[in-house]
Amino acid sequence: MIYEDTELAGAVFIFSEDKELIREMTFAEFEALLDGYVPAMDLANRVLHGVYVEINSQYHIVNAVFYLVRFSSDGFVDHGTSVPLIQLAQHARKGVNLGHGPIGLVCAAQCPIKHMSTYMWDPDLRTKHEFKVLNEAIVRNRVAIHFNEPDPDVKLHQSQQGQQQKDDRQSRAAIELAVTDRLRKEFDKELRDRMAHTIREQRLKANALLLQRERSVAELKQQYNARIEEYRLTLDQNKSLIDEFRERNASLKETIDGQAEKIKGLREYFEVKVEQAETFDHDQLQELITRHELEMEAQLEAETNELKEMLQMREVEILYRNEQEAKVHEELDRVHKENEELIANSGDHLLGRMLETGISFVTYQPGAGHITLPVSEIPLFMDSPTTYVADKCGVSEHHYAQWLEHFHMPVCQAVENDGNLCGGNIIRVESPADYIVGESDCCHQHKANKTPQLKIAGNQ
């Protein structure tokens, strides 16, 4: 595209997840992606690092906006994460110096619109890797950006002005001392400006490092809480299995005891019969013994068949229940999909227009603060706010519900010896990620008295 020498040319550069340049385009080409005219199938279903730059006629970067761009499965830019690039570039604050003075910079650590910082990313300000790649790409000029040469009349006018200025300088030799003093003041001002710019740049680097450290700490907390939750679930599952085995053992023991009592009664009965038949001959005695053995085998076989039939009936009932549960889950999934489709067909267009006009959806939730809701995540939030907020806090829904109860009523949950709740006031934990079940919900006295007890399975 061809621009006037006084205009700023807009271009968009796309970096991969590993910060490698994979796509260069003019802002007009990027708008075609936004409007759904030209898809980028090689970028489908990816969240990439985009940079919107404004370039002057000397091919120097004037403003740069570092933002995250999400592509849908069709290769188009997701409107739910669209960013007003031109407005942000117009309100950009001074950033790094690339050799031609400080440029306007918008990133996660320095964003003029606070709630849009979640859609931004931070370049490496120590090595300036991204800026070097951008300068090389602008020099290559694969996006074909060109500027018109200035009008010859304008050049002539400028040369005449230069000659006139030269004559004026020669005629003002008498006031050289005053000019020197003025230049000294300008030099001092320039030095102060550079020092202020250096301080701002260092602050920007410090903010970026601080943000990176906070993200690392939050990630470690999330991993720690996930591991604790996993161990707790494993313990609960093992406890359930132990209880189930105990119940089955007790049931089998009762069945065996009953069978033993029956066998004992039969044995006593036939022993009496044998004693009464001692006066009979050997053939009659042998017949009684054989009949006794056959009756015992028949009795045992009947009891065994009865138990097998009970087990088969139980398995059939479990299979039927599983089928019913599967049908219920399928019906719930279908209803959820229909609900999401209805919401998408009825509200996405309106929500997209509201977002383009600068309206954003923000909700305040305990533990997470103010959350900016993208359009694509509004159905998830409406379906289950607790699940959505727990995911944003990096904890499970059960863990967040326990912390929320503690947040609203910070009292000790330990049980006294008499069976009553302690109910003593404790310090409220402000973050769900810092809340530990069994520790944060107890007062100091019960924390000191608490000793873990292990019970060996099978020892009753």
Side-chain angles (χ1 to χ4, degrees):
M1 296 183 65
I2 300 176
Y3 298 86
E4 297 296 333
D5 60 329
T6 57
E7 293 180 337
L8 294 178
V12 175
F13 299 89
I14 305 297
F15 289 81
S16 66
E17 294 84 350
D18 299 329
K19 306 297 179 61
E20 295 183 0
L21 184 61
I22 59 175
R23 184 63 63 89
E24 306 173 27
M25 65 186 79
T26 62
F27 186 68
E29 295 173 345
F30 183 72
E31 285 183 325
L33 284 177
L34 287 175
D35 296 336
Y37 290 109
V38 181
M41 297 306 300
D42 57 326
L43 306 179
N45 292 323
R46 298 175 67 182
V47 180
L48 304 175
H49 299 78
V51 183
Y52 169 71
V53 297
E54 293 182 346
I55 309 167
N56 61 14
S57 59
Q58 285 75 36
Y59 295 94
H60 297 157
I61 297 176
V62 178
N63 297 311
V65 180
F66 291 78
Y67 67 102
L68 296 174
V69 55
R70 185 191 305 273
F71 288 89
S72 64
S73 59
D74 299 328
F76 298 107
V77 178
D78 188 1
H79 289 280
T81 58
S82 60
V83 178
L85 300 176
I86 298 177
Q87 291 84 345
L88 289 174
Q90 291 175 351
H91 297 85
R93 302 173 185 172
K94 292 185 178 180
V96 297
N97 190 340
L98 301 181
H100 306 283
I103 68 170
L105 178 62
V106 178
C107 58
Q110 180 175 284
C111 183
I113 304 176
K114 187 175 182 180
H115 69 273
M116 298 296 297
S117 60
T118 55
Y119 301 102
M120 302 294 166
W121 62 284
D122 291 318
D124 190 346
L125 299 178
R126 291 175 295 178
T127 61
K128 299 182 180 179
H129 168 71
E130 293 82 5
F131 296 102
K132 293 178 182 179
V133 174
L134 291 173
N135 283 331
E136 293 175 357
I138 292 173
V139 171
R140 290 194 305 267
N141 198 16
R142 291 180 179 176
V143 295
I145 293 178
H146 300 284
F147 293 89
N148 287 327
E149 293 293 334
D151 195 331
D153 296 335
V154 176
K155 287 186 176 180
L156 178 61
H157 180 66
Q158 292 177 350
S159 63
Q160 290 176 354
Q161 286 182 345
Q163 183 64 32
Q164 183 177 0
Q165 291 176 358
K166 183 177 180 180
D167 296 339
D168 292 341
R169 284 195 300 269
Q170 292 176 354
S171 64
R172 288 196 300 266
I175 57 173
E176 182 178 355
L177 183 61
V179 173
T180 303
D181 183 62
R182 180 175 60 82
L183 292 175
R184 184 181 295 109
K185 292 180 179 179
E186 291 180 355
F187 175 78
D188 293 339
K189 182 178 180 301
E190 180 69 20
L191 180 61
R192 288 194 300 270
D193 292 341
R194 288 188 178 183
M195 291 179 63
H197 170 70
T198 303
I199 293 173
R200 286 194 298 270
E201 187 173 351
Q202 293 299 325
R203 287 177 180 173
L204 179 60
K205 292 180 180 179
N207 291 334
L209 293 175
L210 180 60
L211 183 60
Q212 183 179 2
R213 183 181 66 83
E214 291 178 351
R215 290 175 179 173
S216 300
V217 171
E219 183 177 357
L220 291 175
K221 286 184 178 180
Q222 183 176 0
Q223 293 176 358
Y224 174 73
N225 291 330
R227 186 173 299 175
I228 291 177
E229 189 69 20
E230 182 180 356
Y231 290 155
R232 183 178 292 108
L233 291 175
T234 302
L235 290 175
D236 293 340
Q237 293 176 357
N238 292 336
K239 183 178 179 181
S240 300
L241 290 175
I242 291 172
D243 294 338
E244 183 179 353
F245 287 144
R246 285 176 180 172
E247 293 178 358
R248 292 178 62 185
N249 289 336
S251 177
L252 291 175
K253 185 177 180 182
E254 292 177 358
T255 303
I256 292 172
D257 292 341
Q259 296 294 330
E261 290 293 333
K262 291 181 181 179
I263 294 173
K264 182 179 178 181
L266 291 173
R267 183 183 295 110
E268 292 176 353
Y269 171 76
F270 284 105
E271 285 177 356
V272 172
K273 288 290 186 181
V274 170
E275 290 177 358
Q276 293 176 355
E278 286 180 353
T279 56
F280 296 164
D281 58 9
H282 180 73
D283 294 337
Q284 292 177 341
L285 180 61
Q286 188 66 33
E287 182 181 355
L288 289 175
I289 293 173
T290 303
R291 184 182 300 173
H292 170 68
E293 292 178 352
L294 292 175
E295 290 179 356
M296 288 291 295
E297 291 179 358
Q299 183 71 17
L300 290 174
E301 185 178 358
E303 295 292 338
T304 302
N305 292 332
E306 182 179 357
L307 290 176
K308 287 183 179 180
E309 290 178 359
M310 292 174 63
L311 289 175
Q312 290 177 356
M313 291 177 63
R314 183 61 177 170
E315 291 178 355
V316 171
E317 291 177 358
I318 293 174
L319 181 61
Y320 177 74
R321 186 187 64 184
N322 292 336
E323 292 179 354
Q324 293 298 112
E325 289 181 354
K327 290 181 179 179
V328 170
H329 285 301
E330 291 178 358
E331 183 66 19
L332 287 176
D333 292 338
R334 184 184 65 79
V335 171
H336 281 302
K337 289 181 180 179
E338 291 180 356
N339 188 23
E340 291 177 358
E341 290 178 358
L342 289 175
I343 293 176
N345 294 331
S346 61
D348 276 357
H349 181 68
L350 178 59
L351 294 177
R353 293 182 57 191
M354 295 176 67
L355 188 61
E356 291 176 357
T357 58
I359 299 175
S360 60
F361 301 92
V362 181
T363 177
Y364 176 80
Q365 297 294 331
H370 290 85
I371 303 175
T372 301
L373 296 177
V375 174
S376 60
E377 296 181 3
I378 289 178
L380 297 176
F381 177 79
M382 295 178 65
D383 185 35
S384 180
T386 304
T387 304
Y388 184 86
V389 177
D391 182 65
K392 288 295 182 181
C393 295
V395 298
S396 65
E397 182 178 2
H398 178 68
H399 183 89
Y400 179 77
Q402 290 179 318
W403 170 84
L404 191 61
E405 182 179 356
H406 161 78
F407 180 80
H408 291 303
M409 185 178 293
V411 295
C412 179
Q413 299 295 322
V415 180
E416 302 285 355
N417 294 330
D418 56 1
N420 295 325
L421 194 67
C422 174
N425 292 329
I426 59 176
I427 299 175
R428 178 188 285 120
V429 178
E430 300 295 336
S431 174
D434 298 333
Y435 179 74
I436 300 176
V437 179
E439 293 291 336
S440 302
D441 57 355
C442 294
C443 60
H444 294 290
Q445 180 179 358
H446 287 92
K447 287 181 181 179
N449 296 334
K450 185 180 294 184
T451 56
Q453 298 181 357
L454 298 178
K455 184 182 288 184
I456 300 176
N459 293 337
Q460 299 295 333

